[in-house]
Amino acid sequence: MNEPTPVESLDPSRRLPLSFTERRRGRAPRHLADLPAPERTRLVAEAGLPAFRADQLSRHYFTRFTRDPDAMTDLPAADRHRLADLLLPSLATEVRTLTADRGATLKTLWELFDGSRVESVLMAYPGRNTVCISSEVGCGMACPFCATGQMGLTRNLSTAEIVEQVRLAAAACDSGALTGEPSRLTNVVFMGMGEPMANYAAVIGAVRRLVEPPPAGFGLSARNVVVSTVGLVPQIDRLAAEGIPVTLAVSLHAPDDELRDDLIPINSRWKVGELLDAARRYFEATGRRVSIEYALIRDINDQQWRAQRLADELNGRGRGWAHVNPIPLNPTPGSMWTASERHVEATFVDTLMRAGITTTVRDTRGSDIDGGTIRAPHALATRSLEACPSPGSAVVPSISLIVNT
């Protein structure tokens, strides 16, 4: 099949329509990561096994990062495979992994139970390891500069399919596959394929598994979990009410409705003002500073007056509640979705900082692998934090995998 690519136009008729409807509705096998701890205990007891085996099984998954029953030597040999068959089905199979940044970045293509494929990216930084995970197969948000958005939405991932990406990343850290020596996964960002807020129930279930202490979950700090959105305002308010103070990242990319209506189609439902109001409410409810993601695109959204407009929009809602992350793009000759010139980027950043806006230009990863050589049909320029390398795009520095979906 032809690979989806960003649309070389702001004309709404040239892109796919917004969609929240899955084209494929297969359900992933039931897995312990889908379930709260009491439900796991009930199922184990109903299977005629001691109820406490559920906690033992969960500890293997969430603290030893394994689903291999033969590694569970504290369980009776006769029960290991029964328990694994009951609650630890296979959810993701590695297709290929690419390495960049001298081994500090691993991008893996996973095949799911129904043949669908998604990517995750594991990155080592000084003092922390971050995994960027997918929440959907494809994306229904239809952003024109995003090849993932031109795939459309195939289906939502289950809670366990999301969590399994984290478990596999934690295992890679623990085994030394990432850095050459055992290390610990510390951060998770929902910035891979899909719009996390459009798959809210599964994503919030995954967030709970991430932050719950073992054996219920991984026991990560909520401060080290980032959930991104292009602007689904009701779901931002729902997340604020959950009482789990994860970091919210808003993929804004334009401070004015005139441009954002064309760049981010969901803006037709919730305008910039409504989105930033919701982001401010999130800050007030959680105390967590909101990240504003802004991909700088040459001659489209990188004007100095737009930087000032962004600063005014943020400062008009108070000081210190938001942090802007300008995102450098790949120089892409011949494409309208290409990098801002360096002096334009510098002026944009300087304008924000002079207005008192905390601003950090994001580092990028994977640029030592030629994204034009190996290209994936899904690319996410709409979401990037902690330099999460997006799947292969004409506009985002990335390592890319060939995916047939």
Side-chain angles (χ1 to χ4, degrees), residues 294-296 325-331 339-340 342 345 360-364 384 395-397:
Y294 200 105
L296 288 167
N325 298 314
I327 305 164
L329 304 186
N330 263 343
S340 298
R342 288 294 180 90
E345 177 185 308
T360 304
V361 177
R362 284 297 176 188
D363 179 26
T364 55
S384 180
V395 295
V396 176

Side-chain angles (χ1 to χ4, degrees), residues 46 60 106 122 124 194 220 226 273 279 336:
E46 288 179 355
H60 280 289
L106 302 177
L122 180 58
L220 294 174
V226 179
M336 66 183 289

Side-chain angles (χ1 to χ4, degrees), residues 350-372:
D350 184 65
T351 300
L352 291 172
M353 296 184 72
R354 286 178 180 274
I357 304 296
T358 304
T359 305
T360 304
V361 177
R362 284 297 176 188
D363 179 26
T364 55
R365 288 294 186 90
S367 57
D368 55 338
I369 291 182
D370 182 359

